[in-house]
Amino acid sequence: IDNAAGAATATRYLLGLGHRTVCQVAGPASCLDAKERIDGWRQVMREAGVADPQVLEGDWSACSGYEIGRQLAADPGLTAVFCANDAMALGVIRALTERGLRIPADVSVVGFDNVPEAGFYMPPLTTVRQDFDEVGRLALSTLVDRMTGAIPAGRRVRVAPELIVRASATGPR
């Protein structure tokens, strides 16, 4: 999966809705997927001339998203959050809601993964979909091509993710 492209798409979407900045709830710094998602987010923020807010690191769990969401709720300028996975987005949404913030009227939230439950979150979560079927097909064909010598070793193949727009993000008010 092209994690950087997915994060860039989500960040560009939020900025395109009119948000001045987008906070990032990232996965663990030790994880390549998390690093790539930070890179994609950061690239779009810089292209837009927006200073990076602090990256808040979670552990992929809803619990870590909840704890980070409690910190974010104290920021009166908060209008948009990109979460590096849907589980952390769920935790962020709960924490913000408990503090009286409305999603998306007060704060827009976008996740990453498009877990099967994402459409049933309250509100349904805008998220980045990863096409694992395509990843599997490409992995197998790349392996076969490599074994037959049709392609050289070290070739990288990336699958483009897709933004699934639901109800958790809107322009700021």
Side-chain angles (χ1 to χ4, degrees):
I1 300 296
D2 191 337
N3 288 294
T9 298
T11 305
R12 213 172 273 115
Y13 175 72
L14 288 164
L15 291 174
L17 291 173
H19 296 280
R20 293 177 187 245
T21 191
V22 178
C23 291
Q24 155 104 225
V25 177
S30 61
C31 179
L32 179 61
D33 289 349
K35 289 177 188 174
E36 291 176 346
R37 292 172 193 181
I38 290 169
D39 290 345
W41 164 81
R42 186 167 280 137
Q43 175 188 350
V44 171
M45 297 289 280
R46 288 183 180 154
E47 287 170 1
V50 178
D52 297 350
Q54 178 183 357
V55 174
L56 301 168
E57 184 180 328
D59 65 9
W60 301 123
S61 72
C63 183
S64 71
Y66 178 78
E67 292 304 321
I68 293 168
R70 289 170 48 120
Q71 294 172 39
L72 289 171
D75 179 355
L78 179 72
T79 67
V81 181
F82 165 60
C83 297
N85 79 344
D86 292 348
M88 291 190 299
L90 177 63
V92 166
I93 289 170
R94 178 169 176 188
L96 296 176
T97 301
E98 284 180 358
R99 295 289 199 257
L101 296 167
R102 298 164 299 155
I103 311 301
D106 299 318
V107 180
S108 291
V109 178
V110 174
F112 200 112
D113 288 335
N114 193 37
V115 296
E117 300 83 8
F120 297 95
Y121 286 12
M122 188 47 100
L125 184 65
T126 296
T127 185
V128 177
R129 177 182 170 272
Q130 302 181 73
D131 188 344
F132 289 115
D133 291 340
E134 183 64 14
V135 169
R137 280 191 289 281
L138 280 173
L140 181 58
S141 77
T142 301
L143 176 63
V144 168
D145 287 348
R146 177 64 188 114
M147 290 172 63
T148 62
I151 61 170
R155 177 178 174 227
R156 278 190 92 148
V157 178
R158 294 287 187 156
V159 175
E162 171 189 10
L163 183 67
I164 306 297
V165 176
R166 295 193 180 102
S168 66
T170 190
R173 296 179 195 211

